């Protein structure tokens, strides 16, 4: 399209403005649809942690790992991803109840997914990754690392054991582990 006059240039600019506006609108509608209908959302919290002292102080020390029922009846599972294992290797979570999964790593970038669910996140050194979800099916679900993290990457996986609500029985300290079951 050749623009000969100022009027032609104005029409061309308006036409391209309409095209760009339409494309941006379609993209925004697709993002809203994915967020509302498929529950696919970008990370909503940025929480930093010192990867060098991850295992020494704070919520990711060995005694705090695993699933615990905390104040307000909130179920939180804390997991550390290291080359080439998850700590703990197995977590127990209740079905049909909102749970929070919190991940941290002291070494390299890992990727977490729980098979058959919408849980899928990256675990980056220096940051806490957090996922809120509701597991609707019971059983043992695999949780492999899906980000190549080194030569032992293929051996890096854990189990998420989803149990019916009536079988989810935390101990006096609020903890639930695969060993106690």
């Amino acid at each position: 399209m050749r623009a000969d006059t100022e009027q032609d240039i104005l029409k061309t600019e308006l036409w391209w403005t309409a095209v760009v506006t339409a494309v941006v609108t379609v993209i925004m509608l697709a993002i809203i649809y994915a967020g509302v209908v498929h529950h696919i959302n970008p990370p909503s919290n940025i929480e930093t942690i010192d990867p060098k002292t991850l295992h020494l102080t704070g919520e990711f020390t060995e005694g705090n790992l695993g699933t615990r029922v905390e104040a307000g009846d909130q179920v939180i599972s804390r997991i550390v991803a290291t080359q080439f294992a998850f700590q703990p290797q197995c977590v127990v979570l209740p079905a049909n109840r909102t749970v929070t999964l919190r991940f941290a790593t002291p070494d390299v970038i890992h990727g977490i997914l729980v098979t058959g669910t919408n849980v899928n996140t990256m675990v980056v050194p220096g940051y806490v990754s957090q996922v809120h979800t509701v597991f609707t099916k019971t059983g043992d679900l695999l949780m492999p690392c899906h980000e190549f993290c080194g030569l032992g990457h293929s051996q890096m996986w854990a189990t998420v054991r989803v149990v019916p609500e009536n079988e989810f029985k935390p101990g006096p300290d609020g903890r639930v582990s695969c060993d106690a079951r």
Side-chain angles (χ1 to χ4, degrees):
M1 176 185 296
R2 184 167 179 236
D4 293 329
T5 66
E6 188 173 316
Q7 192 70 13
D8 291 337
I9 293 172
L10 181 62
K11 284 182 182 176
T12 302
E13 287 179 350
L14 288 175
W15 187 82
W16 280 109
T17 301
V19 168
V20 169
T21 302
V23 169
V24 169
T25 301
V26 167
I27 291 171
M28 293 302 294
L29 290 174
I31 291 171
I32 291 169
Y33 176 79
V36 172
V37 175
H38 296 291
H39 304 288
I40 300 170
N41 300 305
S44 60
N45 69 322
I46 296 176
E47 192 175 343
T48 59
I49 192 167
D50 184 2
K52 290 179 280 187
T53 61
L54 182 69
H55 63 292
L56 300 175
T57 61
E59 73 171 291
F60 288 97
T61 57
E62 189 173 343
N64 289 333
L65 298 180
T67 302
R68 179 176 286 184
V69 178
E70 299 193 350
D73 216 24
Q74 188 177 18
V75 178
I76 298 177
S77 191
R78 292 178 178 85
I79 301 166
V80 171
T82 65
Q83 290 180 314
F84 302 101
F86 292 102
Q87 278 299 327
Q89 187 73 35
C90 178
V91 293
V92 179
L93 295 167
N96 301 316
R97 185 169 167 184
T98 300
V99 298
T100 302
L101 302 171
R102 293 177 57 81
F103 300 95
T105 180
D107 45 39
V108 298
I109 296 174
H110 298 277
I112 306 297
L113 68 84
V114 179
T115 55
T117 69
N118 65 350
V119 176
N120 186 347
T121 189
M122 300 297 292
V123 184
V124 179
Y127 294 91
V128 175
S129 297
Q130 181 170 287
V131 176
H132 302 282
T133 191
V134 175
F135 293 102
T136 57
K137 295 179 183 172
T138 60
D140 286 352
L141 306 174
L142 283 180
M143 185 176 71
C145 176
H146 67 73
E147 182 71 27
F148 183 75
C149 55
L151 292 176
H153 167 73
S154 63
Q155 303 300 315
M156 187 174 174
W157 59 272
T159 302
V160 175
R161 183 167 294 158
V162 181
V163 298
E165 177 81 31
N166 61 348
E167 294 180 20
F168 183 76
K169 296 180 178 156
D173 59 351
R175 300 182 61 85
V176 181
S177 71
C178 292
D179 299 336
R181 300 190 48 81

